[in-house]
Amino acid sequence: MAVLPLCRLALASLLALLANLSPPAAAQPSTDTAAGGAQARAEALDRARSAMVAVFSEAVDEAGSIATLGALRRGSGVVIGDDGLVLTIGYLILEAERVDLVVEGARRVPARVVAYDLASGFGLLQALAPLRVAPVALGRSTSASGDEPLMVASGGAEGELSLARLVSQRAFSGYWEYHIDAALFTVPPRTDHSGAGLFNLDGELLGIGSLVVSDAMGPAAGRLPGNMFVPVDLLKPILAEMRARGASRGSTRAWLGLNCAESAGEVRVLRVTRESPAELAGVLPGDRILRIDGAEVGALETLYKTLWRDGAERDVQLTIRRGGDVQTLTVHALDRMKTLRRPQGI
């Protein structure tokens, strides 16, 4: 199937393009069948668009995340349950005091935070009044192909639709002590990516927008701006657990409070969170991390997986190079979930 032009489109234009998509060469249906298939796709994508909501949140006073995310946050979410359950990206609702959803571009509905999952990056919200929005079906992220155009949708009055192309599925390590396998990378980039929905041509949700990246095809492929989406395949095995516990068990893990960058086989500290275990232990921006608990560190993935391998609250040995000196620091890691601020009474 030919790749369609990657440009922002009004819904009518998008659906018109989809109606003209050629079927696979192996199956050449009749004109009536092809028209019926295009109409069904158009209706499914319209339902997907309608399931997008805007998410507005305000962080609790003195939340640590305000320093990097701000107190007021805005993004999107996708209705995935008949009961008004909304899936979004977790950082939008991290340490949130108040959350509102905007449905149909104007109607504002209060919501409560159901879950913030550190391990996957997902967040769940429960609308506190009827949304009157049909939920979308969860697709299979691993079935996405670069040969088939995808739809990216954001919510609210300023929500937009565009076509996207999948350019890679690979592991992703974030500078903020985050790692997932098989993240989805698409082009062209969308700036309204936070919580945006990535859909296949059947209107099934494949991923939730997380950030803009400069290397959508991977570091070795050179510069290609795009978006990273967290795959919904990560949600399916933990959804019930998130609703019951507020997070998956995988979110109980050690945390140092470091922002690090990986380059040419080296991991260096970019930022140290205020009053974090790393700051208390004396780690400074610019330090190169050589080893963690004796394991050589040449990639963020190695740093994180070694850190998370044992208990959440324990002493961690970090060997660093600072200037011409090498030293080993003992950092008492904490359970990140226990450090997050919550509204009073929760």
Side-chain angles (χ1 to χ4, degrees):
M1 179 179 296
V3 176
L4 298 177
L6 298 173
C7 56
R8 298 208 173 185
L9 302 162
L11 176 63
S13 299
L14 177 63
L15 297 184
L17 278 173
L18 293 172
N20 290 320
L21 285 175
S22 299
Q28 295 290 341
S30 66
T31 301
D32 290 343
T33 301
Q39 180 63 28
R41 277 181 165 176
E43 292 173 356
L45 288 165
D46 192 21
R47 288 193 296 272
R49 176 199 60 83
S50 298
M52 297 302 306
V53 299
V55 176
F56 293 87
S57 71
E58 181 176 357
V60 300
D61 292 339
E62 300 182 358
S65 57
I66 291 177
T68 53
L69 298 172
L72 301 177
R73 303 164 197 173
R74 176 180 180 177
S76 301
V78 188
V79 181
I80 63 168
D82 289 317
D83 58 352
L85 187 68
V86 172
L87 177 66
T88 187
I89 197 67
Y91 60 74
L92 287 178
I93 59 173
L94 175 61
E95 300 182 301
E97 172 79 41
R98 173 177 176 174
V99 181
D100 288 326
L101 308 175
V102 175
V103 186
E104 299 163 347
R107 186 162 57 94
R108 206 171 186 99
V109 177
R112 66 176 178 86
V113 175
V114 173
Y116 166 71
D117 191 60
L118 181 68
S120 66
F122 287 127
L124 287 178
L125 296 167
Q126 179 64 60
L128 298 179
L131 292 180
R132 301 192 294 274
V133 173
V136 299
L138 302 183
R140 188 160 58 88
S141 304
T142 53
S143 68
S145 167
D147 295 331
E148 183 176 81
L150 304 173
M151 182 179 81
V152 178
S154 55
E158 299 178 358
E160 295 191 43
L161 301 176
S162 67
L163 293 178
R165 179 168 60 93
L166 182 72
V167 294
S168 67
Q169 298 185 54
R170 54 189 168 85
F172 172 79
S173 297
Y175 61 84
W176 61 96
E177 297 186 38
Y178 174 74
H179 178 87
I180 59 172
D181 294 319
L184 305 173
F185 294 85
T186 65
V187 294
R190 287 274 295 261
T191 57
D192 58 344
H193 51 78
S194 299
L198 180 68
F199 298 92
N200 63 19
L201 293 184
D202 293 320
E204 298 172 331
L205 182 65
L206 300 180
I208 294 292
S210 179
L211 72 160
V212 173
V213 297
S214 61
D215 56 351
M217 293 189 69
R223 181 175 175 80
L224 180 65
N227 291 122
M228 189 276 276
F229 287 82
V230 181
V232 295
D233 287 359
L234 295 181
L235 176 70
K236 297 171 186 177
I238 63 172
L239 179 57
E241 188 176 35
M242 286 177 62
R243 298 194 72 165
R245 300 179 66 249
S248 68
R249 286 177 173 79
S251 292
T252 302
R253 55 173 49 163
W255 174 72
L256 302 179
L258 292 176
N259 287 175
C260 297
E262 170 189 335
S263 178
E266 296 184 357
V267 172
R268 291 189 181 272
V269 177
L270 299 177
R271 177 179 175 275
V272 182
T273 302
R274 185 171 58 88
E275 298 181 355
S276 67
E279 183 184 68
L280 296 176
V283 182
L284 298 176
D287 289 347
R288 178 188 169 191
I289 299 177
L290 302 177
R291 290 183 293 278
I292 178 171
D293 289 339
E296 298 286 339
V297 173
L300 289 173
E301 182 175 355
T302 303
L303 174 64
Y304 299 155
K305 289 187 174 180
T306 305
L307 173 64
W308 301 332
R309 185 176 57 195
D310 297 316
E313 298 185 358
R314 62 186 180 87
D315 286 343
V316 174
Q317 303 299 312
L318 279 186
T319 301
I320 64 168
R321 181 185 297 277
R322 182 178 299 161
D325 298 328
V326 174
Q327 54 184 297
T328 298
L329 304 176
T330 299
V331 186
H332 184 71
L334 298 177
D335 179 349
R336 175 57 169 157
M337 298 301 290
K338 292 183 179 179
T339 71
L340 301 178
R341 292 186 179 271
R342 293 173 173 80
Q344 291 187 355
I346 297 180

